[in-house]
Amino acid sequence: MIMKAKSQVSLFQVSKIQVSYFPKFRACERPKITTSKQAYEVLLNNWDPGMIEFREQMKVILLNRANYVLGIFDVSTGGQAGTLCDPKIVYATALKANAANIIMAHNHPSGNLKPSSQDITLTRKFVEAGKVLDLYVFDHLIMTKRGYYSFGDEGLI
């Protein structure tokens, strides 16, 4: 009888999920991104200069509907030749931040701005997932200290 009572109680013992958002700045006080160059500048100013030519990293800029920056999310850090990017983590973060759009970015420590086939596949995967969630990928940038490659500017988004 005690076992049955314990299992019934456990059915009602669940964690409460709460989503809240407390921005530190008003939207008009944040950078607004309308071009790939603006995105590059925001990212470069927020990238660890000691890492951009050392290890590959993936970051995502979270934007509101008016394209004001809500924040930058550090998705992952890998090695010299790659890093992992889990779409579930990126979109969970974007949804929690109440983002309407995202800009993906990763660096190539080699300095090569040409996208790999994996870069192209990942971008397509994110674009399709974003359509389902009504949370759009505005761009995907490949970053180096000396410049960037924009999937959006090149017609790949």
Side-chain angles (χ1 to χ4, degrees):
M1 189 69 163
I2 292 173
M3 291 287 282
K4 186 175 181 184
K6 274 188 174 182
S7 66
Q8 285 179 337
V9 169
S10 69
L11 292 175
F12 300 104
Q13 293 177 334
V14 295
S15 299
K16 177 182 177 184
I17 307 272
Q18 181 176 347
V19 177
S20 56
Y21 180 64
F22 301 101
K24 294 181 180 183
F25 306 100
R26 294 181 308 160
C28 64
E29 297 173 331
R30 294 181 235 145
K32 183 172 183 167
I33 296 179
T34 57
T35 67
S36 60
K37 184 175 187 214
Q38 291 169 328
Y40 173 73
E41 289 169 355
V42 166
L43 285 159
L44 194 59
N45 285 321
N46 288 280
W47 212 287
D48 178 350
M51 293 294 282
I52 199 161
E53 293 181 326
F54 180 57
R55 293 173 70 184
E56 191 165 315
Q57 296 179 301
M58 171 68 83
K59 298 178 185 280
V60 173
I61 299 177
L62 306 171
L63 302 167
N64 70 8
R65 287 235 176 262
N67 293 333
Y68 284 100
V69 176
L70 297 170
I72 298 174
F73 174 56
D74 293 331
V75 178
S76 63
T77 298
Q80 288 184 328
T83 190
L84 297 175
C85 182
D86 187 341
K88 293 182 295 269
I89 301 296
V90 171
Y91 279 111
T93 303
L95 290 167
K96 182 164 182 173
N98 203 28
N101 306 298
I102 64 172
I103 297 173
M104 302 167 56
H106 75 282
N107 63 313
H108 279 177
S110 67
N112 178 9
L113 289 173
K114 185 178 179 192
S116 68
S117 60
Q118 293 92 344
D119 295 338
I120 294 167
T121 301
L122 181 70
T123 303
R124 288 183 181 148
K125 186 176 184 179
F126 267 84
V127 168
E128 290 306 310
K131 288 177 185 176
V132 172
L133 295 170
D134 197 25
L135 206 161
Y136 298 101
V137 177
F138 260 27
D139 208 341
H140 180 176
L141 302 181
I142 297 174
M143 308 274 302
T144 70
K145 279 187 177 179
R146 290 162 209 69
Y148 67 96
Y149 177 94
S150 164
F151 282 71
D153 291 352
E154 298 299 324
L156 295 174
I157 290 185

